[in-house]
Amino acid sequence: MDLTVNGTRVEGSPGAGEKGELVLEVDDLNVGFPTDDGMVNAVRGVSYQLRRGQSLGIVGESGSGKSVTSMAVLGLLPKTAQVTGSAKLLGEELLGLGDAALSEVRGKRISMIFQDPLTSLNPVYTVGFQLAEAIRVHYPEVKRAEARERSIDLLDTVGIPNPSQRVDAYPHELSGGMRQRVVIAIAMANNPDVIIADEPTTALDVTVQAQVLEALERAREEVNAALILITHDLGVIAGHTDDVLVMYAGRPVEQGTVDEIFYEPRMPYTLGLIGSMPRMDEERGHRLTPVHGTPPSMLKLPSGCPFRPRCPMSQDICAEVEPDLLPIGSTGHVAACHFADQLEGKRPEDVFAPDSTDPEIEVAVESEAPQEPRSQEDM
Amino acid sequence: MSNTTTTAFEAEAITTKERTQLQLVTKRFFRHKAAVISLIGFITIVLFAFVGPYLWQWDHRIHTEIPSWAPPSPEHPFGSDRAGRDMMGTVMRATGQSLKVALVVALGSTFIGAVVGAVAGYYRGWVDALLMRLVDILFVIPFLVITAAMAGNVRGGTTWWHMALILMVFGWLGTSRAVRAEVLSLREKEFIEAARSVGGSDLHIIFRHLIPNTMSVIIVSATLQIAFAILSESTLSFLGLGIQAPDTSLGLLIQAAESSAFSERWYLFYIPGIFVILIALTINFVGDGLRDAMDPRQTMVRR
Amino acid sequence: MLVFTIRRIVMMIPVLIGASLLAFVLVSVSGDPVADQVFILEQSTGEPVPQETVDNIKERLYYDRSLPERYWLWLTGIGETNGDIGLLQGEWGPSIEGSAIDVGEEIGSRFWITLRLVLFATVASIAIAILTGVVSAVKQYSKVDYLLTFIGFLALSMPTFWFGLLMKEAAVQTNNAIGSTFFQTYRDSTRGFHGNGWEVFLDAIPYLIIPTIVLMLTGYAAMSRYQRASMLEVLNSDYVRLARAKGVRNGTVMRRHALRTALIPVATFAPLGLATAMGGSLVIERIFGWRGLGAFAYDAITHNDAFAVLGYLFISGVIVLIGILISDLMYGVLDPRIRYE
């Protein structure tokens, strides 16, 4: 299961039957929103290819354009959004299609799972109605009773106990985790080619998260779909995806296999994300290394590299030239950093200062590494 | 890398300038064109009513030298009525009286509503139940009829002050409900918990923490109260149950010109009517602009 | 559903009793009908009224009793009475006009005239408000939206009485221009309630048109803003987005998912419209010379006829409570979340 990034990867499994078939190809996707204060370029130049059975993780902070990317593919953005580029489903262009044509794709070929299960279901209709609606909107010839049977099966597949009773429940009668499973069941109802899950576990209890992710995995296997998992949780990415796309300020900044991203990151931001993640495999005394500051305003991006103001490695060139997404070696791993080479073998704590709440250690860290930038907490 | 450059870079990270809440609200408000125009319009009307009488030669009384039913002219821009009152001076006085009622009602009923809503929402339990039942009960009594019954029976003639008091006592229901709803969600927030844990008294929490944090709801409902009071006051005066002659109000002026909308004395009907509409319209737009400006959920881009 | 309905009705009884008590106290403190009567007598006879007459008036109006006692009598009629007081026994209390007016009978005969107007206006304003509110929300920030918003604000800011006078005069002008009295601008009907329903209806139509339009004004203004806001909220909701992501077409999403849910908050708002319309009828009936409840209330207030005012407050309270009940039931039908509450 390989990801072809910007066409640079040639090996892998091209034409390996059903399983490796190229289903979704996004090329140079740009999304802008006109506002009173000017154009907000929420997504700039996102490209990826997705094969059947493959799973792609998209990571980034809130506002980095992860969700907008997928919604643009399905035409779910407000009418004011300006979308350019290309998104092809099995070779068929999706961008620019009208509502009627897109409705044929939505829920049938590509389906989407949204972040908040508590608000994703219409409160005034039963779970069964909303599931059956998803089926019958694409297959009107399916009888109500059949749709109901299928709905019960789907609820069973995603692990809802007593599905034949729950099918008549209203959303408010189910817990958050259950509701998210219902949404997953809706997403897999028509055996789609692609399932896009936008932060499917963020709003859920940690204990429920694993169950929901498992249901999602099962759904993917069941219908042999490709999966796009949008999240800010690197733990979820590590356990559930094959390839990773890291986004910052609307732009892809690093792309590669999950191993490449986790063990050989070549962009300081990726490094920072990894360093700020608590890990079970580190020894007890290990300190987390936070990325200080906040993402830039999309209305007024800093010149050059958008990550520059928060980057401990930034040099003059960073303010002048926005780095391109360049290949690292020949495996299809790409990163957008002027100093990608220097990052070889670096660990997060080599680049970012560890965080501390203990003033003694704080002082120690500061005196030890005077060249390190001070944290922004005092700003 | 020197410290100074680092600081410069860091400063750039916060590319959106930090603004105070007031600056933010002001900026958002001034983006709402209709609201800004309305604010200017409303201020103009207020100046007309309260400063105008000092600049204009005629007041709202009968003067023998003013001809009766004079059409609008440079001497009498709004014409004159049958008894020989200059309508310009009369409308100034009438607008002033109506505005005084409206402003007092807005302040008073908003205060009552805010306190009742905050107390009910903060204490919950029987206090809440009692106060909200009182609101339910008052809601069932028709506002116009009970205020008319009270205003129509004021001994020695109804003045603007009586009107304001009566409208105030019955006008706080909506505000109290809105504030209560807001306080119900606020009281669960950490900063209230914090205030309580450091020993803040209930009174301190209500007036220092809860009410200031519901200010956006309170300010918006206060502006809408102005419009509501203007309309109620002029309606009661029109029915003859409000401000009484020889004093004047916009409602009384319209009543006097009841059937002249299409006669040659049209000005007697339209001018006071348009003043009522303008006051209510501008204040409604200002309220709308404030609501948009203060709604924290308002973002520049929607998803 | 039946249990729900009954429970709601039972819950309303204390509210009605509380409202009647509060109204009773307010009316009692706001004016003294006995003093008024004595004053009128003095004016007409030109000489001081003998104490005996004052006592008689007091006794007839039950003003010789204390306030709590009088309230008790008014509500129940239990105690020493002339048989003309006690709501529970169907007696509404004596009018100052004496036997010329029976408060209960007056209210009964005028009730349908006002209800007809109020219901017509409320239903019509809700219908138009829903329609324009939805159009406004769907076409947010379009010219249509701006126009409808402005009309809404204008309606919200226009005093009913001024608009009523304007429409009345405009109708008179129209009648003159076309040379026939198409719009009736005075009185509520020609034949009252005599004849079969259809005849009564046809007879009332020309009288109803203008007053209904005028009375719709305020209700429409508030409701259309509300409908727009609620529709916008639903249109931006996650479940509408999910419905579209499922492949449901835009039109169907609007009908099935957006409108259906957006109607819920408006349903709760409707009884407020009924209450406002009841108040507005006071103005309408005064302008168009109707002989309904509004005119009754107006006369009662200007004559300081305490029991008549109370009668009106009571009946309009009952109407508002019935409106709230209906909206509660609609809420239950529209929103499954509160069905089992």
Side-chain angles (χ1 to χ4, degrees):
Chain A
M1 265 153 280
D2 294 316
L3 172 68
T4 311
V5 173
N6 288 352
T8 49
R9 170 168 297 180
V10 278
E11 80 259 26
S13 43
E18 262 284 281
K19 202 84 176 159
E21 188 190 2
L22 182 65
V23 278
L24 185 65
E25 189 174 13
V26 172
D27 189 37
D28 194 26
L29 185 76
N30 289 280
V31 181
F33 295 100
T35 69
D36 293 345
D37 299 323
M39 186 66 112
V40 170
N41 294 309
V43 174
R44 300 178 296 142
V46 169
S47 306
Y48 58 79
Q49 294 184 352
L50 198 59
R51 292 176 188 280
R52 205 176 285 284
Q54 185 202 345
S55 165
L56 167 71
I58 303 183
V59 240
E61 282 163 278
S62 358
S64 60
K66 335 182 273 282
S67 308
V68 177
T69 309
S70 342
M71 299 226 279
V73 171
L74 278 182
L76 289 176
L77 293 172
K79 271 178 245 151
T80 51
Q82 295 175 8
V83 184
T84 61
S86 153
K88 290 197 177 103
L89 178 70
L90 295 170
E92 189 190 326
E93 182 62 53
L94 294 178
L95 297 187
L97 288 183
D99 183 60
L102 270 175
S103 292
E104 290 293 309
V105 175
R106 294 181 195 137
K108 187 179 179 186
R109 316 270 302 277
I110 305 179
S111 54
M112 205 160 170
I113 296 160
F114 295 107
Q115 178 171 354
D116 192 351
L118 299 182
T119 56
S120 281
L121 293 169
N122 191 324
V124 304
Y125 294 111
T126 61
V127 163
F129 176 91
Q130 298 186 55
L131 258 165
E133 183 187 36
I135 298 167
R136 281 165 48 99
V137 72
H138 294 294
Y139 301 99
E141 69 278 6
V142 175
K143 301 243 166 21
R144 270 172 212 282
E146 289 173 55
R148 187 184 156 87
E149 282 309 307
R150 171 102 174 104
S151 304
I152 295 173
D153 287 347
L154 285 166
L155 291 179
D156 196 31
T157 311
V158 294
I160 288 187
N162 279 334
S164 52
Q165 283 168 29
R166 291 285 156 71
V167 76
D168 292 321
Y170 284 96
H172 71 276
E173 295 163 328
L174 302 179
S175 70
M178 293 256 222
R179 285 190 229 181
Q180 192 63 304
R181 273 179 259 190
V182 172
V183 176
I184 293 173
I186 289 175
M188 60 186 284
N190 296 312
N191 297 340
D193 298 319
V194 181
I195 297 176
I196 302 175
D198 186 355
E199 309 242 9
T201 56
T202 306
L204 299 176
D205 232 293
V206 182
T207 49
V208 185
Q209 282 186 7
Q211 297 168 15
V212 167
L213 284 169
E214 195 199 325
L216 192 59
E217 278 292 323
R218 208 180 313 157
R220 174 162 74 111
E221 274 159 36
E222 190 94 355
V223 301
N224 191 23
L227 176 70
I228 297 180
L229 191 58
I230 302 170
T231 181
H232 61 258
D233 187 341
L234 285 173
V236 171
I237 291 281
H240 296 269
T241 64
D242 308 316
D243 296 282
V244 182
L245 165 62
V246 181
M247 286 186 73
Y248 187 78
R251 217 180 146 236
V253 290
E254 188 161 4
Q255 261 171 304
T257 65
V258 73
D259 284 349
E260 284 165 348
I261 297 295
F262 274 83
Y263 297 111
E264 304 159 40
R266 292 301 181 86
M267 160 77 195
Y269 179 62
T270 316
L271 217 60
L273 283 181
I274 292 166
S276 55
M277 176 179 71
R279 295 172 69 147
M280 299 292 283
D281 54 352
E282 292 282 354
E283 77 267 26
R284 278 177 65 92
H286 180 73
R287 310 204 64 83
L288 296 181
T289 55
V291 182
H292 289 290
T294 51
S297 154
M298 299 299 282
L299 269 170
K300 227 174 69 187
L301 286 174
S303 61
C305 175
F307 187 59
R308 171 179 54 88
R310 300 169 73 185
C311 182
M313 294 178 62
S314 78
Q315 304 286 330
D316 291 346
I317 185 173
C318 299
E320 288 153 21
V321 185
E322 180 164 15
D324 284 331
L325 207 54
L326 295 173
I328 312 286
S330 60
T331 56
H333 180 191
V334 291
C337 180
H338 293 299
F339 306 109
D341 299 342
Q342 298 178 16
L343 281 166
E344 197 175 345
K346 284 268 168 54
R347 292 166 58 83
E349 54 269 34
D350 301 332
V351 177
F352 290 89
D355 191 24
S356 174
T357 46
D358 186 343
E360 252 181 63
I361 298 175
E362 185 94 82
V363 169
V365 167
E366 297 234 318
S367 60
E368 236 173 66
Q371 77 278 19
E372 297 286 1
R374 288 198 0 252
S375 80
Q376 281 192 324
E377 277 160 352
D378 47 5
M379 281 193 61
Chain B
M1 197 188 310
S2 78
N3 254 339
T4 45
T5 52
T6 314
T7 322
F9 281 143
E10 280 171 0
E12 227 175 323
I14 316 256
T15 42
T16 41
K17 260 190 277 127
E18 205 183 323
R19 298 195 191 93
T20 66
Q21 181 69 12
L22 184 69
Q23 281 171 317
L24 208 68
V25 167
T26 318
K27 189 175 178 241
R28 289 219 195 100
F29 180 82
F30 278 97
R31 206 183 288 157
H32 194 312
K33 285 198 194 68
V36 175
I37 296 169
S38 294
L39 184 64
I40 296 169
F42 182 70
I43 293 171
T44 313
I45 294 171
V46 171
L47 291 177
F48 172 81
F50 295 114
V51 179
Y54 295 102
L55 307 173
W56 185 243
Q57 52 183 324
W58 302 108
D59 61 9
H60 66 288
R61 283 179 247 278
I62 300 167
H63 293 272
T64 44
E65 57 268 50
I66 299 177
S68 103
W69 283 332
S73 66
E75 294 92 74
H76 304 289
F78 291 177
S80 73
D81 73 353
R82 182 179 165 193
R85 289 183 190 89
D86 170 66
M87 287 312 284
M88 181 93 156
T90 311
V91 167
M92 280 174 184
R93 168 77 180 186
T95 308
Q97 296 302 82
S98 297
L99 277 175
K100 274 194 275 185
V101 173
L103 294 174
V104 171
V105 172
L107 285 177
S109 65
T110 304
F111 180 78
I112 301 174
V115 171
V116 170
V119 166
Y122 178 70
Y123 287 104
R124 306 282 299 274
W126 65 270
V127 179
D128 185 28
L130 195 75
L131 287 171
M132 286 303 112
R133 284 305 82 72
L134 178 68
V135 170
D136 285 350
I137 285 170
L138 280 169
F139 179 73
V140 168
I141 302 175
F143 176 81
L144 194 64
V145 175
I146 195 69
T147 48
M150 311 241 13
N153 281 313
V154 177
R155 246 163 275 257
T158 316
T159 65
W160 74 267
W161 179 242
H162 294 124
M163 288 301 298
L165 216 61
I166 290 165
L167 291 175
M168 190 199 296
V169 169
F170 293 94
W172 52 270
L173 307 183
T175 311
S176 75
R177 278 191 173 158
V179 171
R180 173 179 173 269
E182 199 75 6
V183 166
L184 277 182
S185 70
L186 275 177
R187 74 191 293 278
E188 307 299 333
K189 295 270 162 67
E190 288 79 0
F191 71 93
I192 299 295
E193 198 59 44
R196 213 179 287 140
S197 65
V198 297
S201 69
D202 288 350
L203 214 61
H204 171 84
I205 291 173
I206 290 174
F207 281 94
R208 287 278 155 182
H209 295 283
L210 290 176
I211 290 185
N213 275 290
T214 46
M215 247 339 166
S216 63
V217 176
I218 291 174
I219 291 174
V220 169
S221 88
T223 55
L224 300 183
Q225 283 287 342
I226 297 181
F228 176 73
I230 280 279
L231 293 178
S232 308
E233 183 278 326
S234 60
T235 303
L236 290 176
S237 297
F238 166 78
L239 290 172
L241 301 167
I243 293 176
Q244 306 286 324
D247 202 343
T248 187
S249 91
L250 292 170
L252 273 179
L253 291 181
I254 296 171
Q255 185 209 21
E258 213 173 313
S259 55
S260 41
F262 294 92
S263 75
E264 68 268 33
R265 292 184 292 277
W266 52 270
Y267 49 90
L268 293 178
F269 175 79
Y270 288 106
I271 291 172
I274 285 169
F275 266 84
V276 177
I277 295 173
L278 276 182
I279 297 170
L281 191 64
T282 52
I283 208 75
N284 275 328
F285 270 119
V286 171
D288 196 52
L290 283 174
R291 186 184 358 229
D292 280 0
M294 292 201 265
D295 187 350
R297 285 170 303 181
Q298 284 262 327
T299 48
M300 281 183 279
V301 210
R302 281 206 73 99
R303 264 196 258 276
Chain C
M1 199 66 167
L2 187 70
V3 178
F4 179 80
T5 314
I6 292 170
R7 209 162 65 212
R8 282 292 150 128
I9 294 174
V10 171
M11 276 164 63
M12 279 173 175
I13 292 172
V15 174
L16 188 62
I17 292 176
S20 74
L21 176 62
L22 193 63
F24 195 91
V25 173
L26 288 170
V27 169
S28 294
V29 300
S30 77
D32 180 359
V34 177
D36 266 28
Q37 288 301 296
V38 172
F39 179 75
I40 292 168
L41 266 179
E42 254 171 23
Q43 294 293 305
S44 59
T45 56
E47 52 195 66
V49 180
Q51 189 56 40
E52 199 189 344
T53 319
V54 176
D55 289 345
N56 278 340
I57 297 173
K58 268 195 183 162
E59 202 193 326
R60 185 169 70 77
L61 295 177
Y62 299 97
Y63 266 66
D64 53 346
R65 323 284 176 103
S66 68
L67 199 148
E69 209 179 338
R70 201 160 67 239
Y71 175 68
W72 174 252
L73 280 180
W74 176 68
L75 197 65
T76 64
I78 298 167
E80 222 177 297
T81 69
N82 306 330
D84 56 358
I85 195 164
L87 277 177
L88 289 181
Q89 302 178 14
E91 295 296 334
W92 295 66
S95 162
I96 51 158
E97 313 285 350
S99 52
I101 291 177
D102 180 292
V103 175
E105 264 173 37
E106 265 315 295
I107 288 178
S109 71
R110 290 161 176 261
F111 180 75
W112 297 107
I113 298 175
T114 300
L115 194 71
R116 188 165 62 185
L117 172 71
V118 166
L119 283 185
F120 263 117
T122 310
V123 172
S125 64
I126 291 173
I128 297 179
I130 288 174
L131 188 75
T132 56
V134 167
V135 169
S136 235
V138 172
K139 305 260 175 214
Q140 192 190 12
Y141 300 139
S142 71
K143 285 207 176 82
V144 181
D145 179 27
Y146 284 125
L147 182 71
L148 287 174
T149 301
F150 185 75
I151 291 175
F153 270 100
L154 195 63
L156 198 62
S157 313
M158 202 168 332
T160 315
F161 67 93
W162 188 80
F163 185 59
L165 291 172
L166 185 65
M167 289 299 284
K168 180 187 179 181
E169 293 305 313
V172 170
Q173 297 295 315
T174 314
N175 284 342
N176 289 346
I178 61 176
S180 81
T181 45
F182 179 70
F183 297 114
Q184 298 289 343
T185 55
Y186 190 67
R187 294 266 182 250
D188 43 76
S189 59
T190 317
R191 59 193 307 157
F193 286 92
H194 306 291
N196 67 37
W198 182 243
E199 284 166 349
V200 169
F201 179 72
L202 276 188
D203 169 58
I205 285 291
Y207 294 91
L208 265 171
I209 296 173
I210 301 287
T212 304
I213 292 174
V214 175
L215 194 53
M216 276 168 59
L217 186 77
T218 10
Y220 163 77
M223 292 275 297
S224 69
R225 293 299 295 161
Y226 210 66
Q227 177 69 59
R228 177 179 182 271
S230 124
M231 187 75 183
L232 272 180
E233 195 176 320
V234 173
L235 285 181
N236 286 318
S237 73
D238 289 352
Y239 56 82
V240 161
R241 201 172 47 168
L242 182 68
R244 291 183 65 208
K246 284 199 291 194
V248 184
R249 293 209 188 170
N250 240 334
T252 317
V253 172
M254 292 291 160
R255 256 196 342 273
R256 195 184 287 162
H257 289 276
L259 185 58
R260 165 79 203 270
T261 338
L263 283 179
I264 296 173
V266 177
T268 57
F269 207 64
L272 188 67
L274 195 68
T276 331
M278 278 303 288
S281 72
L282 200 75
V283 173
I284 303 281
E285 294 188 10
R286 152 85 177 71
I287 291 173
F288 293 96
W290 280 38
R291 297 157 298 185
L293 283 179
F296 176 76
Y298 181 75
D299 290 342
I301 290 167
T302 48
H303 293 112
N304 202 359
D305 195 345
F307 287 110
V309 173
L310 285 169
Y312 174 85
L313 291 176
F314 187 79
I315 195 73
S316 88
V318 170
I319 293 174
V320 170
L321 281 177
I322 291 173
I324 293 175
L325 181 69
I326 293 171
S327 101
D328 276 355
L329 296 180
M330 270 163 63
Y331 208 19
V333 173
L334 286 169
D335 192 342
R337 281 169 295 188
I338 63 145
R339 220 165 265 172
Y340 309 104
E341 231 188 310

